Amino acid sequence: MQNKVVLLGIVAVLAFVRFAVVPWHEYQQSKYQQLDAVTKRLQRSEALVEQQQRLIEMQQQQQQQLATMLTPFPKVTNPSAYRLQLQQQIQQLAEENGVAVTFFDWLSDTPMQVFSLSRGRISLRLKGLAGNIMSTHSLIEQRFPNFIVRDVKANWRNDLTPQSEIELSLLVEVDYQEQEAQ
């Protein structure tokens, strides 16, 4: 009989452990895991708050670098007007150097999918004395940093001298920023 009482006591203790202590322990474990996850999030948030000023400064620095990088590209609200304006500027530059623009054709416009940049292609033909042509070509590259000369072809008769009549054909890529009209 005493063994039965001891066995019943052991069964009662085991039942208590199984149905009271084990669930309580599992509940405590889940709360500990939740607390650990919240603590880690809090630590990350505190680290971000501590770094906030540094992150703001880095963002401003990147924005300044981007603005500096985009400086050579004109901001254009009307691409058609920009094409005409650019043609007039090139013609004026050429005339100032005694060179004629015999051909100007805006071949294409291609959006570059980054920073609202577009790339136009121009076929340009200049005619004049060799020295004037070289001077004009140099000035075009200096005054228009957004130009990329992709192809240059020159034609002349006889020996090449500074007084030779030359026809220079250029294939130029023009990068510019498209902006919404304000």
Side-chain angles (χ1 to χ4, degrees), residues 27-46:
Y27 172 78
Q28 289 295 326
Q29 281 298 106
S30 72
K31 289 299 179 187
Y32 174 76
Q33 289 172 348
Q34 288 175 356
L35 179 62
D36 188 47
V38 168
T39 302
K40 287 179 182 176
R41 277 192 290 180
L42 177 63
Q43 289 171 345
R44 284 193 302 265
S45 297
E46 287 173 344

Side-chain angles (χ1 to χ4, degrees), residues 44-162:
R44 284 193 302 265
S45 297
E46 287 173 344
L48 281 175
V49 168
E50 288 175 11
Q51 297 293 322
Q52 180 180 11
Q53 186 60 35
R54 183 172 168 259
L55 292 172
I56 289 171
E57 289 171 3
M58 287 173 60
Q59 180 186 21
Q60 290 171 346
Q61 184 181 25
Q62 287 178 343
Q63 288 172 344
Q64 288 173 343
Q65 288 173 344
L66 178 61
T68 301
M69 184 182 78
L70 293 174
T71 299
F73 306 112
K75 293 172 177 51
V76 175
T77 55
N78 183 346
S80 297
Y82 175 66
R83 290 182 203 118
L84 181 60
Q85 175 190 6
L86 195 58
Q87 180 178 1
Q88 291 169 347
Q89 288 174 341
I90 290 173
Q91 284 177 327
Q92 181 180 359
L93 178 68
E95 287 172 5
E96 290 171 1
N97 287 286
V99 172
V101 176
T102 59
F103 183 77
F104 183 98
D105 188 19
W106 194 283
L107 302 172
S108 66
D109 273 312
T110 307
M112 294 175 60
Q113 307 298 328
V114 62
F115 305 122
S116 300
L117 288 175
S118 289
R119 177 168 286 167
R121 275 191 162 215
I122 297 172
S123 179
L124 176 65
R125 201 170 306 130
L126 306 172
K127 190 172 187 176
L129 299 178
N132 294 348
I133 290 284
M134 291 174 64
S135 175
T136 302
H137 181 217
S138 176
L139 286 172
I140 287 174
E141 289 194 10
Q142 288 173 11
R143 291 198 186 162
F144 301 99
N146 59 319
F147 279 23
I148 303 168
V149 178
R150 291 292 180 194
D151 190 31
V152 178
K153 292 180 185 171
N155 296 315
W156 64 90
R157 296 176 191 250
N158 305 324
D159 293 333
L160 182 60
T161 67

